Amino acid sequence: MSVGLYRYSGDIYDRDSELTLSENISTQEFYDEHWERAIHKLGISIVRDSSEIVFHQLEDALDELDRLREWAIQELDGTNLEYMQGRVEQLQRILPNAFVSKGDVLYIF
């Protein structure tokens, strides 16, 4: 299993809604071990499992990603650092363009 960022063409609970964005964030095991520790320590509230991100939260979400990246640099090393830093930087590139309209909702699960 893994944790990812998703966007749908409509309501996520509508069976006719189609997946329009899918971006891997982390394997579940890595997320549980490292991302959760960082999220708890940093008080992250937007970029976390089970979140729904709306357009007006974009700047705050990007700020949280900056904080997560800095945490990874300070707390991890080797392949763990490379993996988390790479995933955070990919999200930083994708997130600003992930909203097709201001009404879109992005999901993390």
Side-chain angles (χ1 to χ4, degrees):
M1 299 223 26
S2 64
V3 177
L5 175 73
Y6 304 95
R7 181 185 64 223
Y8 289 82
S9 62
D11 186 331
I12 191 172
Y13 302 106
D14 181 351
R15 54 185 348 173
D16 293 328
S17 185
E18 295 180 12
L19 182 64
T20 58
L21 173 73
S22 174
E23 180 64 36
N24 183 43
I25 292 176
S26 177
T27 65
Q28 189 69 53
E29 181 180 345
F30 191 91
Y31 185 91
D32 292 346
E33 184 174 345
H34 300 292
W35 284 77
E36 283 289 345
R37 187 164 47 111
I39 287 166
H40 178 73
K41 183 173 182 178
L42 299 172
I44 299 296
S45 62
I46 299 170
V47 181
R48 61 183 305 150
D49 194 14
S50 301
S51 286
E52 295 183 7
I53 305 171
V54 293
F55 183 77
H56 77 271
Q57 295 175 305
L58 177 58
E59 290 303 316
D60 291 334
L62 291 171
D63 177 63
E64 286 186 356
L65 287 169
D66 282 337
R67 293 170 46 215
L68 286 163
R69 183 180 173 278
E70 288 304 314
W71 178 90
I73 290 168
Q74 293 174 9
E75 299 292 327
L76 302 177
D77 57 20
T79 58
N80 288 338
L81 170 58
E82 288 177 30
Y83 181 71
M84 186 163 179
Q85 186 175 355
R87 297 313 311 148
V88 168
E89 290 172 354
Q90 178 67 5
L91 288 171
Q92 288 174 312
R93 285 187 291 274
I94 287 175
L95 208 54
N97 300 311
F99 293 95
V100 175
S101 74
K102 290 184 179 181
D104 284 341
V105 178
L106 305 177
Y107 301 91
I108 298 177
F109 57 85

